[in-house]
Amino acid sequence: MYFSGSLLTTEEPPGREGCAVVLGQKPRSAAQQRHSVTATVSKMAGADGDDSLYPIAVLIDELRNEDVQLRLNSIKKLSTIALALGVERTRTELLPFLTDTIYDEDEVLLALAEQLGNFTMLVGGPEYVHCLLPPLESLATVEETVVRDKAVESLRKISQEHSPVDLEVHFEPLVKRLASGDWFTSRTSACGLFSVCYPRVSSTVKAEIRQHFRTLCSDDTPMVRRAAASKLGEFAKVLEPEYVKSDIISLFTALASDEQDSVRLLAVEACVSIATLLPQEDLETLVMPTLRQAAEDKSWRVRYMVADKFSELQKAVGSEITKNDLVPAFQNLLKDCEAEVRAAAANKVKEFCENLPEDNREQIIMTHILPCVKELVSDTNQHVKSALASVIMGLSTILGKDNTIEHLLPLFLAQLKDECPEVRLNIISNLDCVNEVIGIRQLSQSLLPAIVELAEDAKWRVRLAIIEYMPLLAGQLGVEFFDEKLNTLCMAWLIDHVYAIREAATCNLMKLVEKFGAEWAQNTIVPKVLGMANDPNYLHRMTTLFCINALSEACGQEITTKQMLPVVLKMSNDQVANVRFNVAKSLQKIGPVLDSNALQTEVKPVLEKLATDSDMDVKYFAQEAISVLALA
Amino acid sequence: MEEESDTRKINNSFLRDHNYATEADIISTVEFNSTGELLATGDKGGRVVVFQREQESKSQPHRRGEYNVYSTFQSHEPEFDYLKSLEIEEKINKIKWLPQQNAAYFLLSTNDKTVKLWKISERDKRPEGYNLKDEDGRIRDPSTITSLRVPVLQPMDLMVEATARRIFSNAHTYHINSISVNSDLQTFISTDDLRVNLWNLEITDRSFNIVDIKPANMEELTEVITSAEFHPQQCHTFAYSSSKGSIRLCDMRLAALCDKHCKYFEEPEDPATRSFFSEIISSISDVKFSHNGRYLMTRDYLTVKVWDLQMENKPVETYQVHDYLRGKLCSLYENDCIFDKFECVWNGSDSVIMTGSYNNFFRMFDRNTKRDVTLEASRENSKPRAILKPRKVCVGGKRRKDEISVDSLDFSKKILHTTWHPHENIIAVAATNNLYIFQDKVN
């Protein structure tokens, strides 16, 4: 996808030098921040302890507070209010009030819509559940899609709690009202409700519901047609088989040739559910013409949808049609003129191949799919290449060792040398599939230069991504290879100029230690980490502390006490306050790993000294550590 | 029909005296909604004023058609881009209404950088009754609270609120010149000098750049986009006009990126009339699809052209708006008027075209009868229900009574923005800081 907007494209490291101060800052404001409701409630409860109405009174009044956050808070505790009012007053007073409060902010309405879905017991059980319909009906007509969807979800939920009689007397009329509403918002909401009431009503009402659905499928506004198209599959599932053929197919065909692209593409989704409902022999005549048409639609968005849903479609139509129809269709999508479509299809290559009928799977892949895949490796669009790179390794398990070495390996190697870092990253992140089939040695010669290049990429996000794969690579390449080739990279990241990289590098070390064990850590990384404690740059000194935080647990008590603790304690005399308060934080962190003797004789005096530091942040964290470690 | 137009003042307070008007009061856009019940204006001060048509009443049937202020709100504020050290004006460049979806009304307004979706809704009830307060607002002693009160909604005076529902920002490096809502009612485009971005109305944190004409080297820049609009019915088609006088039609079905157009409308230049100003005056200031989607109308400095979508090599109709200015281009260049961006509109049935000119004149062209008329929006002749008299500009020679000579035209009084009611013969004309509404004579 092509993003515009500077937000996504600028290369803005989250934390450079200055940010370290921010990162070290204590969460003072959060500690002081307390919600006004709880504050007042607890205060009053303290004043006159038996006054249980007071907190509820506050909640009710705050339903209309000017502060959205307080209103939201009250709405989220609506069940408390309802419980205090009792079922009778909830029905007669609270619900009417809520029905008319649809002027509110979206987040408040969203919370309200969600609450009402769980309100049945609070209005007096299933017998009175229909009282919840009016507020949900008004929520189902607001303009905000998320709120409407949530209201519909709650309506669907409570429809199950209606008795068959109530369903026809209360629920079904609501559906009809929404379906014939003046505004499309209400008609879109209706689309989601047909399928829940249809199975439980009489046959005359069923006929009406089908008629309403038909009407909405040819509504004037594209919004409603889109809603109907997206619910077509779901509705088809609850319909009797004879109506699927007589009603649904014609609606499906009509929606699939709608003038609006956005409607047609939704029909592709419906295609999956409809195909699963029909017997195999009907698929050819009833569904396939539409599907073929969609796969060749003039609009790339529709073809994209076909590509995106290809695995589902493949499962729905079965192996015979797959062989005859979907294989050529898939080839076309892989060669589509629009890059978005090719990328979507490339993403499905592995799944499609996996789901091919086993008897001639290999033959189909080798003769039909692989030639297209080869072309995609040198596609002009990097999104296409990176989509392919994320799945191509999966083909090796399907094709077996010989084919992989002969046909796939050259493709992997080509992608490892791709100019786009994302492609290389995607290959590296999926090494495990190949490892199982041919062993990673086949690749390692090409792998190393690719990794080194990514590790030194100018874009910090690329560096970050490769760091995240390091533990995985280390596991597959083995400790020897790692020590020889990759260890230096891992240490270099610790002094990267971007904080996010240093942080990830720290975390990476922890995972490596978990993989290779404490002894390895002691020999290879601990000395280097501790060496940085004397670095002239205070940021690197802090990195030592961050590493110790991460490593202490994995390295165990002995290493922590004998090697790490002395360094930490020594750093408590650092001239930079940020280092000193991070010493306090580190001590708090590694405290649990140490024995009590070390805590009392070594840690405690240092923390006590820091607690009298001239810098208030250092004092704060020293005191915090003292109290957490119970050294006071 | 136009000759018998009937004038009304819509709102006294809005018709401020020109001499005292500040820069911020200058109307920068005017737009009817899809039913014509509402009319919105935006001004250089970042305000949006929405007018509502008065409902027909039995006692005063003739009052039907008057527009009263319905809601006024500050849509955009002046801002400063600290990264680029750039002031961002609050001036509203365009307003587009969305079709009505529930009891509330929605419109998009944009300044140079940011598009906002506004909801205009009515409220006529307000909750009453607190637990912790008396009717007169005094705090009650918590110990006296022995029962709970649920608030009750009581009727109150109608209140119209405008709330910003979505803010679409950070997507334009250059100045947004137009916005257009797609017929799928799900997406819209915003266009700046070099790019067209596609947005989903529900998603504000990303947009897709579908047209980008920025050359790798800005020194090679020869053309900018001046306006863009979606086709009224075909959700996949949009057109954009350029400063070189051409229009490109793009089909969004063909590819995700519409850098390649599927149709290119341009009239070859007549070498005989070529001059220093040719390129400037051929720049298109506005492009509009006809309601039936068959034609495109474009406005350049001196003419309005109608293009048939099936014919790319020349317009099917060309109307001279103020050809008498052709001889004055030099002075219009010197006072910068030559860069004025006039807009143009269709009437509801696509049979008449309206566009503005100088001296508070605006022009109408009847496409069927080929008659045209010049009308004037001025306070002197806009007494309620006065009939507008056609005006004539004389070029050189002897001036007849009622005629005005080219040399005495006031170029500071320009009508750039006009809009036509979607179904009826009601027009709104923005003349600097005044908004005039004219309509067909009733009876």
PDB file of all heavy atoms in Angstrom, chain B residues 153-176:
ATOM      1  N   LEU B 153     -35.530  13.784  30.695  1.00  0.00           N
ATOM      2  CA  LEU B 153     -35.292  14.714  29.601  1.00  0.00           C
ATOM      3  C   LEU B 153     -36.480  15.641  29.433  1.00  0.00           C
ATOM      4  O   LEU B 153     -37.617  15.200  29.332  1.00  0.00           O
ATOM      5  CB  LEU B 153     -35.029  13.940  28.311  1.00  0.00           C
ATOM      6  CG  LEU B 153     -33.665  13.257  28.341  1.00  0.00           C
ATOM      7  CD1 LEU B 153     -33.673  12.041  27.453  1.00  0.00           C
ATOM      8  CD2 LEU B 153     -32.570  14.221  27.949  1.00  0.00           C
ATOM      9  N   GLN B 154     -36.227  16.931  29.425  1.00  0.00           N
ATOM     10  CA  GLN B 154     -37.272  17.934  29.260  1.00  0.00           C
ATOM     11  C   GLN B 154     -37.012  18.717  27.976  1.00  0.00           C
ATOM     12  O   GLN B 154     -35.860  18.926  27.617  1.00  0.00           O
ATOM     13  CB  GLN B 154     -37.265  18.896  30.446  1.00  0.00           C
ATOM     14  CG  GLN B 154     -37.480  18.235  31.787  1.00  0.00           C
ATOM     15  CD  GLN B 154     -38.888  17.691  31.955  1.00  0.00           C
ATOM     16  OE1 GLN B 154     -39.776  17.959  31.136  1.00  0.00           O
ATOM     17  NE2 GLN B 154     -39.097  16.882  32.989  1.00  0.00           N
ATOM     18  N   PRO B 155     -38.115  19.144  27.331  1.00  0.00           N
ATOM     19  CA  PRO B 155     -37.922  19.938  26.108  1.00  0.00           C
ATOM     20  C   PRO B 155     -37.215  21.249  26.407  1.00  0.00           C
ATOM     21  O   PRO B 155     -37.368  21.805  27.493  1.00  0.00           O
ATOM     22  CB  PRO B 155     -39.353  20.204  25.619  1.00  0.00           C
ATOM     23  CG  PRO B 155     -40.225  19.317  26.415  1.00  0.00           C
ATOM     24  CD  PRO B 155     -39.511  18.958  27.673  1.00  0.00           C
ATOM     25  N   MET B 156     -36.452  21.732  25.481  1.00  0.00           N
ATOM     26  CA  MET B 156     -35.839  23.056  25.625  1.00  0.00           C
ATOM     27  C   MET B 156     -35.803  23.731  24.257  1.00  0.00           C
ATOM     28  O   MET B 156     -36.187  23.133  23.256  1.00  0.00           O
ATOM     29  CB  MET B 156     -34.419  22.912  26.183  1.00  0.00           C
ATOM     30  CG  MET B 156     -33.490  22.134  25.252  1.00  0.00           C
ATOM     31  SD  MET B 156     -31.785  22.373  25.733  1.00  0.00           S
ATOM     32  CE  MET B 156     -30.937  21.628  24.365  1.00  0.00           C
ATOM     33  N   ASP B 157     -35.347  24.977  24.225  1.00  0.00           N
ATOM     34  CA  ASP B 157     -35.242  25.671  22.939  1.00  0.00           C
ATOM     35  C   ASP B 157     -34.286  24.923  22.032  1.00  0.00           C
ATOM     36  O   ASP B 157     -33.275  24.406  22.494  1.00  0.00           O
ATOM     37  CB  ASP B 157     -34.717  27.094  23.155  1.00  0.00           C
ATOM     38  CG  ASP B 157     -35.761  27.960  23.814  1.00  0.00           C
ATOM     39  OD1 ASP B 157     -36.954  27.557  23.765  1.00  0.00           O
ATOM     40  OD2 ASP B 157     -35.398  28.987  24.399  1.00  0.00           O
ATOM     41  N   LEU B 158     -34.629  24.916  20.755  1.00  0.00           N
ATOM     42  CA  LEU B 158     -33.804  24.188  19.794  1.00  0.00           C
ATOM     43  C   LEU B 158     -32.376  24.747  19.787  1.00  0.00           C
ATOM     44  O   LEU B 158     -32.173  25.949  19.752  1.00  0.00           O
ATOM     45  CB  LEU B 158     -34.415  24.315  18.393  1.00  0.00           C
ATOM     46  CG  LEU B 158     -33.684  23.517  17.326  1.00  0.00           C
ATOM     47  CD1 LEU B 158     -33.917  22.032  17.528  1.00  0.00           C
ATOM     48  CD2 LEU B 158     -34.137  23.953  15.946  1.00  0.00           C
ATOM     49  N   MET B 159     -31.439  23.831  19.865  1.00  0.00           N
ATOM     50  CA  MET B 159     -30.052  24.246  19.840  1.00  0.00           C
ATOM     51  C   MET B 159     -29.383  23.522  18.671  1.00  0.00           C
ATOM     52  O   MET B 159     -29.586  22.330  18.497  1.00  0.00           O
ATOM     53  CB  MET B 159     -29.404  23.811  21.140  1.00  0.00           C
ATOM     54  CG  MET B 159     -28.207  24.581  21.530  1.00  0.00           C
ATOM     55  SD  MET B 159     -27.819  24.201  23.247  1.00  0.00           S
ATOM     56  CE  MET B 159     -26.873  22.730  23.046  1.00  0.00           C
ATOM     57  N   VAL B 160     -28.635  24.260  17.856  1.00  0.00           N
ATOM     58  CA  VAL B 160     -27.933  23.608  16.749  1.00  0.00           C
ATOM     59  C   VAL B 160     -26.452  23.560  17.107  1.00  0.00           C
ATOM     60  O   VAL B 160     -25.850  24.578  17.426  1.00  0.00           O
ATOM     61  CB  VAL B 160     -28.134  24.374  15.430  1.00  0.00           C
ATOM     62  CG1 VAL B 160     -27.407  23.672  14.292  1.00  0.00           C
ATOM     63  CG2 VAL B 160     -29.615  24.503  15.127  1.00  0.00           C
ATOM     64  N   GLU B 161     -25.903  22.363  17.070  1.00  0.00           N
ATOM     65  CA  GLU B 161     -24.498  22.217  17.440  1.00  0.00           C
ATOM     66  C   GLU B 161     -23.691  21.770  16.233  1.00  0.00           C
ATOM     67  O   GLU B 161     -24.166  20.970  15.440  1.00  0.00           O
ATOM     68  CB  GLU B 161     -24.308  21.121  18.481  1.00  0.00           C
ATOM     69  CG  GLU B 161     -25.180  21.225  19.681  1.00  0.00           C
ATOM     70  CD  GLU B 161     -24.991  20.004  20.579  1.00  0.00           C
ATOM     71  OE1 GLU B 161     -25.233  18.866  20.149  1.00  0.00           O
ATOM     72  OE2 GLU B 161     -24.599  20.232  21.720  1.00  0.00           O
ATOM     73  N   ALA B 162     -22.481  22.256  16.150  1.00  0.00           N
ATOM     74  CA  ALA B 162     -21.568  21.747  15.109  1.00  0.00           C
ATOM     75  C   ALA B 162     -20.389  21.109  15.817  1.00  0.00           C
ATOM     76  O   ALA B 162     -19.780  21.710  16.697  1.00  0.00           O
ATOM     77  CB  ALA B 162     -21.094  22.883  14.220  1.00  0.00           C
ATOM     78  N   THR B 163     -20.103  19.873  15.471  1.00  0.00           N
ATOM     79  CA  THR B 163     -18.972  19.192  16.090  1.00  0.00           C
ATOM     80  C   THR B 163     -18.062  18.635  15.003  1.00  0.00           C
ATOM     81  O   THR B 163     -18.540  18.095  14.010  1.00  0.00           O
ATOM     82  CB  THR B 163     -19.428  18.019  16.977  1.00  0.00           C
ATOM     83  OG1 THR B 163     -20.560  17.403  16.371  1.00  0.00           O
ATOM     84  CG2 THR B 163     -19.770  18.450  18.364  1.00  0.00           C
ATOM     85  N   ALA B 164     -16.782  18.770  15.228  1.00  0.00           N
ATOM     86  CA  ALA B 164     -15.809  18.222  14.265  1.00  0.00           C
ATOM     87  C   ALA B 164     -15.703  16.730  14.533  1.00  0.00           C
ATOM     88  O   ALA B 164     -15.277  16.315  15.596  1.00  0.00           O
ATOM     89  CB  ALA B 164     -14.453  18.889  14.453  1.00  0.00           C
ATOM     90  N   ARG B 165     -16.141  15.919  13.578  1.00  0.00           N
ATOM     91  CA  ARG B 165     -16.143  14.474  13.796  1.00  0.00           C
ATOM     92  C   ARG B 165     -14.831  13.821  13.381  1.00  0.00           C
ATOM     93  O   ARG B 165     -14.416  12.832  13.944  1.00  0.00           O
ATOM     94  CB  ARG B 165     -17.302  13.827  13.023  1.00  0.00           C
ATOM     95  CG  ARG B 165     -18.673  14.233  13.508  1.00  0.00           C
ATOM     96  CD  ARG B 165     -18.799  14.050  14.999  1.00  0.00           C
ATOM     97  NE  ARG B 165     -18.468  12.700  15.398  1.00  0.00           N
ATOM     98  CZ  ARG B 165     -19.333  11.737  15.608  1.00  0.00           C
ATOM     99  NH1 ARG B 165     -20.609  11.972  15.508  1.00  0.00           N
ATOM    100  NH2 ARG B 165     -18.933  10.538  15.944  1.00  0.00           N
ATOM    101  N   ARG B 166     -14.217  14.345  12.342  1.00  0.00           N
ATOM    102  CA  ARG B 166     -12.961  13.746  11.892  1.00  0.00           C
ATOM    103  C   ARG B 166     -12.057  14.863  11.382  1.00  0.00           C
ATOM    104  O   ARG B 166     -12.532  15.836  10.804  1.00  0.00           O
ATOM    105  CB  ARG B 166     -13.194  12.802  10.714  1.00  0.00           C
ATOM    106  CG  ARG B 166     -14.152  11.704  11.004  1.00  0.00           C
ATOM    107  CD  ARG B 166     -13.472  10.355  10.925  1.00  0.00           C
ATOM    108  NE  ARG B 166     -14.471   9.322  10.834  1.00  0.00           N
ATOM    109  CZ  ARG B 166     -15.180   8.883  11.849  1.00  0.00           C
ATOM    110  NH1 ARG B 166     -14.992   9.376  13.039  1.00  0.00           N
ATOM    111  NH2 ARG B 166     -16.089   7.938  11.685  1.00  0.00           N
ATOM    112  N   ILE B 167     -10.779  14.680  11.568  1.00  0.00           N
ATOM    113  CA  ILE B 167      -9.811  15.638  11.055  1.00  0.00           C
ATOM    114  C   ILE B 167      -8.801  14.874  10.206  1.00  0.00           C
ATOM    115  O   ILE B 167      -8.128  13.975  10.689  1.00  0.00           O
ATOM    116  CB  ILE B 167      -9.139  16.390  12.219  1.00  0.00           C
ATOM    117  CG1 ILE B 167     -10.216  17.215  12.943  1.00  0.00           C
ATOM    118  CG2 ILE B 167      -8.019  17.289  11.699  1.00  0.00           C
ATOM    119  CD1 ILE B 167      -9.751  17.893  14.192  1.00  0.00           C
ATOM    120  N   PHE B 168      -8.797  15.205   8.952  1.00  0.00           N
ATOM    121  CA  PHE B 168      -7.908  14.526   8.004  1.00  0.00           C
ATOM    122  C   PHE B 168      -6.716  15.439   7.758  1.00  0.00           C
ATOM    123  O   PHE B 168      -6.836  16.424   7.032  1.00  0.00           O
ATOM    124  CB  PHE B 168      -8.637  14.266   6.684  1.00  0.00           C
ATOM    125  CG  PHE B 168      -9.944  13.521   6.847  1.00  0.00           C
ATOM    126  CD1 PHE B 168     -11.141  14.206   7.008  1.00  0.00           C
ATOM    127  CD2 PHE B 168      -9.969  12.134   6.837  1.00  0.00           C
ATOM    128  CE1 PHE B 168     -12.336  13.521   7.150  1.00  0.00           C
ATOM    129  CE2 PHE B 168     -11.165  11.449   6.975  1.00  0.00           C
ATOM    130  CZ  PHE B 168     -12.353  12.130   7.138  1.00  0.00           C
ATOM    131  N   SER B 169      -5.592  15.138   8.378  1.00  0.00           N
ATOM    132  CA  SER B 169      -4.465  16.073   8.284  1.00  0.00           C
ATOM    133  C   SER B 169      -3.185  15.356   7.904  1.00  0.00           C
ATOM    134  O   SER B 169      -3.165  14.136   7.758  1.00  0.00           O
ATOM    135  CB  SER B 169      -4.303  16.804   9.615  1.00  0.00           C
ATOM    136  OG  SER B 169      -4.212  15.875  10.653  1.00  0.00           O
ATOM    137  N   ASN B 170      -2.128  16.137   7.779  1.00  0.00           N
ATOM    138  CA  ASN B 170      -0.773  15.622   7.528  1.00  0.00           C
ATOM    139  C   ASN B 170      -0.602  14.883   6.212  1.00  0.00           C
ATOM    140  O   ASN B 170       0.257  14.025   6.100  1.00  0.00           O
ATOM    141  CB  ASN B 170      -0.337  14.670   8.659  1.00  0.00           C
ATOM    142  CG  ASN B 170      -0.150  15.408   9.941  1.00  0.00           C
ATOM    143  OD1 ASN B 170       0.222  16.568   9.941  1.00  0.00           O
ATOM    144  ND2 ASN B 170      -0.454  14.750  11.044  1.00  0.00           N
ATOM    145  N   ALA B 171      -1.430  15.159   5.234  1.00  0.00           N
ATOM    146  CA  ALA B 171      -1.274  14.427   3.985  1.00  0.00           C
ATOM    147  C   ALA B 171      -0.889  15.335   2.822  1.00  0.00           C
ATOM    148  O   ALA B 171      -0.595  14.845   1.751  1.00  0.00           O
ATOM    149  CB  ALA B 171      -2.544  13.675   3.655  1.00  0.00           C
ATOM    150  N   HIS B 172      -0.904  16.643   3.037  1.00  0.00           N
ATOM    151  CA  HIS B 172      -0.644  17.539   1.911  1.00  0.00           C
ATOM    152  C   HIS B 172       0.555  18.440   2.164  1.00  0.00           C
ATOM    153  O   HIS B 172       0.616  19.145   3.160  1.00  0.00           O
ATOM    154  CB  HIS B 172      -1.880  18.392   1.610  1.00  0.00           C
ATOM    155  CG  HIS B 172      -2.966  17.622   0.918  1.00  0.00           C
ATOM    156  ND1 HIS B 172      -2.958  17.392  -0.431  1.00  0.00           N
ATOM    157  CD2 HIS B 172      -4.056  16.995   1.404  1.00  0.00           C
ATOM    158  CE1 HIS B 172      -4.015  16.668  -0.764  1.00  0.00           C
ATOM    159  NE2 HIS B 172      -4.701  16.400   0.346  1.00  0.00           N
ATOM    160  N   THR B 173       1.482  18.391   1.231  1.00  0.00           N
ATOM    161  CA  THR B 173       2.649  19.257   1.322  1.00  0.00           C
ATOM    162  C   THR B 173       2.339  20.600   0.677  1.00  0.00           C
ATOM    163  O   THR B 173       2.871  21.622   1.049  1.00  0.00           O
ATOM    164  CB  THR B 173       3.832  18.616   0.560  1.00  0.00           C
ATOM    165  OG1 THR B 173       3.873  17.250   0.929  1.00  0.00           O
ATOM    166  CG2 THR B 173       5.132  19.277   0.920  1.00  0.00           C
ATOM    167  N   TYR B 174       1.446  20.576  -0.297  1.00  0.00           N
ATOM    168  CA  TYR B 174       1.092  21.810  -0.994  1.00  0.00           C
ATOM    169  C   TYR B 174      -0.325  22.204  -0.598  1.00  0.00           C
ATOM    170  O   TYR B 174      -0.935  21.562   0.240  1.00  0.00           O
ATOM    171  CB  TYR B 174       1.265  21.620  -2.504  1.00  0.00           C
ATOM    172  CG  TYR B 174       2.666  21.163  -2.809  1.00  0.00           C
ATOM    173  CD1 TYR B 174       2.975  19.809  -2.927  1.00  0.00           C
ATOM    174  CD2 TYR B 174       3.699  22.087  -2.879  1.00  0.00           C
ATOM    175  CE1 TYR B 174       4.278  19.389  -3.131  1.00  0.00           C
ATOM    176  CE2 TYR B 174       5.008  21.670  -3.079  1.00  0.00           C
ATOM    177  CZ  TYR B 174       5.293  20.326  -3.209  1.00  0.00           C
ATOM    178  OH  TYR B 174       6.583  19.913  -3.389  1.00  0.00           O
ATOM    179  N   HIS B 175      -0.835  23.258  -1.235  1.00  0.00           N
ATOM    180  CA  HIS B 175      -2.125  23.781  -0.794  1.00  0.00           C
ATOM    181  C   HIS B 175      -3.296  23.017  -1.403  1.00  0.00           C
ATOM    182  O   HIS B 175      -3.355  22.834  -2.614  1.00  0.00           O
ATOM    183  CB  HIS B 175      -2.231  25.262  -1.162  1.00  0.00           C
ATOM    184  CG  HIS B 175      -1.316  26.107  -0.352  1.00  0.00           C
ATOM    185  ND1 HIS B 175      -1.221  27.464  -0.495  1.00  0.00           N
ATOM    186  CD2 HIS B 175      -0.456  25.775   0.633  1.00  0.00           C
ATOM    187  CE1 HIS B 175      -0.334  27.936   0.357  1.00  0.00           C
ATOM    188  NE2 HIS B 175       0.146  26.932   1.056  1.00  0.00           N
ATOM    189  N   ILE B 176      -4.212  22.619  -0.569  1.00  0.00           N
ATOM    190  CA  ILE B 176      -5.386  21.907  -1.057  1.00  0.00           C
ATOM    191  C   ILE B 176      -6.255  22.881  -1.843  1.00  0.00           C
ATOM    192  O   ILE B 176      -6.600  23.959  -1.345  1.00  0.00           O
ATOM    193  CB  ILE B 176      -6.206  21.314   0.110  1.00  0.00           C
ATOM    194  CG1 ILE B 176      -5.367  20.325   0.903  1.00  0.00           C
ATOM    195  CG2 ILE B 176      -7.483  20.649  -0.410  1.00  0.00           C
ATOM    196  CD1 ILE B 176      -6.061  19.748   2.120  1.00  0.00           C
TER     197      ILE B 176
END
